């Protein structure tokens, strides 16, 4: 049965930034597909809520509350997963983000911080996880969460977009270095209705133009990204590595312009 190829029975996954939004959706989807999941973010209460959803599927959750802005904290999650579940098969480098702002107001430190949070954390967890994946499972799947703004140009996204573009190319480079036993792919979400877009979701004057600027005429749901992650993590995606799935409704330009005037 083709649907069997999308199963993750008895696999072990780590998902960063899993207290809400895309991370939570991916963690619960992995559990629904049969995996046990280590979830990590800063807020314990949010993680406990996600853990309860995972437990409701019949799978196990292990909660690690940590400040994942620090790569060394992210790296520790690989060993924690093996300690909790005995192995590690899947890593989702989801934690990241950077506030938008005008280019000339973006300091060198803010640019460095964007790279640390979006790329450094992913590299730290990847390099910690791969030896454990090879030792305990013989291989595995790594999924990096980039962004459509790593591909499209829009005002205000110099730090965020540059860092996400770097993560996309890191995905391609890591895939070659780690082939054939470890697959490395990425998902580039477009505008997804998470808490980051709460102000858009509740304001038709903002939401309607964004929907009209999206070829599929709607904003994305967390389940759209979760489904892509299950595909990449499962045997269904076993012939993909070094690829970036653009789950963005068909965007060819940004669907939300930052109000940054001409110089």
């Amino acid at each position: 049965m083709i649907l069997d190829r999308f199963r993750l029975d008895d696999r072990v996954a780590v998902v960063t930034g899993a207290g809400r939004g895309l991370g939570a959706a991916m963690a619960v989807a992995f559990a629904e597909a049969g995996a046990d999941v280590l979830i990590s973010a800063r807020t314990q209460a949010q993680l406990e809520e996600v853990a309860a959803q995972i437990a409701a599927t019949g799978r196990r959750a292990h909660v690690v509350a940590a400040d994942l802005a620090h790569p060394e904290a992210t790296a520790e999650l690989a060993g924690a997963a093996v300690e909790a579940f005995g192995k590690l098969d899947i890593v989702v480098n989801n934690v990241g983000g950077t506030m938008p702002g005008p280019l000339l107001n973006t300091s060198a430190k803010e640019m460095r911080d964007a790279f640390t949070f979006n790329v450094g954390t992913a590299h730290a967890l990847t390099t910690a996880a791969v030896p454990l994946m090879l030792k305990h499972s013989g291989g595995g799947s790594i999924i990096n969460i980039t962004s459509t703004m790593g591909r499209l140009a829009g005002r205000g996204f110099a730090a965020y977009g540059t860092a996400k573009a770097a993560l996309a190319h890191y995905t391609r480079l890591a895939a070659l270095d780690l082939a054939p036993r470890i697959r490395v792919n990425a998902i580039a979400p477009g505008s997804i209705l998470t808490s980051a877009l709460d102000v858009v979701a509740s304001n038709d004057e903002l939401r309607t133009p964004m929907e009209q600027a999206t070829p599929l005429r709607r904003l994305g749901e967390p389940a759209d990204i979760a489904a892509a992650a299950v595909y990449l993590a499962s045997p269904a995606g076993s012939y993909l590595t070094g690829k970036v799935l653009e789950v963005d409704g068909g965007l060819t330009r940004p669907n939300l312009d930052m109000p940054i005037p001409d110089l």
Side-chain angles (χ1 to χ4, degrees):
M1 294 289 292
I2 189 63
L3 291 181
D4 292 339
R5 294 182 61 84
F6 291 85
R7 296 293 307 171
L8 295 171
D9 294 311
D10 300 322
R11 307 275 176 98
V12 172
V14 168
V15 182
T16 65
R20 59 182 181 174
L22 299 185
M26 289 185 285
V28 173
F30 286 164
E32 290 174 344
D36 298 319
V37 192
L38 182 149
I39 53 176
S40 186
R42 285 183 297 180
T43 306
Q44 181 80 23
Q46 291 178 341
L47 291 169
E48 294 293 348
E49 291 180 9
V50 178
Q53 294 177 59
I54 291 171
T57 72
R59 303 306 307 186
R60 297 175 293 170
H62 183 69
V63 169
V64 178
D67 184 356
L68 301 181
H70 303 289
E72 59 272 18
T74 312
E76 293 176 359
L77 300 179
V82 172
E83 184 175 348
F85 299 124
K87 62 174 184 170
L88 179 57
D89 304 284
I90 302 158
V91 166
V92 179
N93 289 307
N94 171 63
V95 72
T98 303
M99 289 298 293
L103 176 70
L104 295 183
N105 293 349
T106 302
S107 68
K109 180 182 183 302
E110 288 169 331
M111 186 68 78
R112 289 194 302 271
D113 288 347
F115 270 81
T116 297
F117 195 28
N118 292 278
V119 184
T121 55
H123 179 64
L125 181 51
T126 295
T127 53
V130 165
L132 298 176
M133 289 175 153
L134 294 175
K135 178 179 179 180
H136 296 285
S137 298
S141 173
I142 295 170
I143 302 168
N144 298 319
I145 305 302
T146 64
S147 170
T148 189
M149 294 312 299
R151 175 176 62 89
L152 304 178
R155 283 185 173 177
F157 292 97
Y160 177 76
T162 302
K164 288 301 190 182
L167 183 59
H169 198 51
Y170 173 87
T171 297
R172 301 179 188 102
L173 297 169
L176 286 182
D177 278 2
L178 300 178
R181 295 171 68 187
I182 304 290
R183 296 187 297 110
V184 187
N185 293 290
I187 301 170
S191 298
I192 309 297
L193 289 168
T194 65
S195 58
L197 285 185
D198 278 349
V199 66
V200 169
S202 60
N203 186 333
D204 288 343
E205 290 185 4
L206 293 175
R207 179 170 178 158
T208 299
M210 290 181 68
E211 292 173 335
Q212 290 303 309
T214 304
L216 289 184
R217 300 295 188 266
R218 71 173 178 90
L219 303 184
E221 300 285 347
D224 295 319
I225 306 303
V230 169
Y231 169 58
L232 290 176
S234 71
S238 63
Y239 201 50
L240 278 79
T241 197
K243 303 303 177 186
V244 179
L245 292 187
E246 297 169 1
V247 186
D248 58 14
L251 289 176
T252 58
R253 59 183 178 84
N255 58 1
L256 177 62
D257 290 325
M258 299 299 297
I260 297 177
D262 292 347
L263 295 178

